[in-house]
Amino acid sequence: MPFLRLDAGYLLALAVIFLFALPFHELAHAWVAERLGDPTPRRAGRVTLNPMAHLDPIGALMLVLAGFGWARPVPVNPLYLRYGPRVGMALVGGAGPAANLLLAGLGILVYRAAPEPLLATPLAFAFLRDWIFINVGLAVFNMLPLPPLDGFRVLQGLLPPDMAYAYARLEAYGPLPLLLFLILDRQLGLLSSILQPVYRLVSLLMRF
């Protein structure tokens, strides 16, 4: 889907993403961490839907410019987590993308249940379509298995302990692996090759 668009439906969808979907993503991380025994997110004031508690200006700008972005990470102490730090962090990490898929799924249900006259309204149609696709895009992007994204934590939890330990060394390079991926992506279209079949599936679900 194209980015840097100025149509009203897309801009409305972006506004609701900023004010609700990104905070909901981070709230999911915080809520799961708290359920697993970590008081850190509550102490940091992150078990909330208040967008000001979660939004990251650079991540928000990237969402506008590139179609993917991020919010301010929720602080989590892995030592508190039930099931151990590795599995616990995988559960916390997976909660954010799962929240975006939940929002996209709700959007699909609304789209399919909406009366035809409503979908014939350009603003309503564009908003629902972009709400669905942006949330799916955020879920897929955040599940890339690179630090500091959620997929890095999820893959660590799925790998055998010795492989997870070796893989964890990537974290020492900070966001560099992700930056290298994004640079390569501009030349090779790696992210698009992942997103296109996902978007086709979503389009089928919207029409099914």
Side-chain angles (χ1 to χ4, degrees):
M1 57 185 290
F3 304 113
L4 285 176
R5 288 161 36 207
L6 297 178
D7 59 277
Y10 180 68
L11 294 176
L12 179 60
L14 273 183
V16 181
I17 292 287
F18 291 144
L19 296 175
F20 181 74
L22 287 180
F24 188 69
H25 177 111
E26 296 304 321
L27 172 61
H29 288 312
W31 186 83
V32 170
E34 187 174 54
R35 295 285 79 75
L36 293 178
D38 184 13
T40 308
R42 175 74 64 178
R43 292 171 180 167
R46 301 300 297 278
V47 188
T48 177
L49 271 176
N50 180 359
M52 298 309 296
H54 299 294
L55 290 186
D56 178 279
I58 296 177
L61 180 63
M62 286 296 295
L63 182 60
V64 174
L65 296 178
F68 56 83
W70 54 87
R72 193 157 53 90
V74 172
V76 178
N77 186 337
L79 298 179
Y80 281 113
L81 297 177
R82 199 172 299 122
Y83 311 123
R86 187 168 58 86
V87 174
M89 287 301 293
L91 293 172
V92 172
N100 286 115
L101 290 179
L102 174 62
L103 294 178
L106 291 174
I108 291 173
L109 292 177
V110 171
Y111 180 89
R112 293 184 56 185
E116 192 65 32
L118 178 63
L119 293 181
T121 305
L123 179 61
F125 173 79
F127 169 75
L128 278 173
R129 178 197 62 201
D130 291 325
W131 168 264
I132 292 165
F133 282 99
I134 293 173
N135 270 294
V136 170
L138 286 172
V140 172
F141 174 73
N142 277 284
M143 280 301 294
L144 293 175
L146 297 169
L149 300 178
D150 300 326
F152 178 72
R153 299 297 181 192
V154 173
L155 184 55
Q156 272 189 296
L158 295 174
L159 290 173
D162 54 341
M163 293 179 65
Y165 177 78
Y167 180 62
R169 295 175 183 171
L170 269 181
E171 198 167 17
Y173 298 98
L176 182 59
L178 177 60
L179 292 175
L180 291 175
F181 173 86
L182 295 177
I183 292 170
L184 287 174
D185 183 63
R186 290 182 62 86
Q187 303 298 322
L188 303 177
L190 301 174
L191 189 56
S192 294
S193 67
I194 298 171
L195 284 172
Q196 284 176 0
V198 176
Y199 285 157
R200 284 196 292 268
L201 175 60
V202 171
S203 297
L204 289 174
L205 291 174
M206 292 169 68
R207 295 195 299 265
F208 182 70

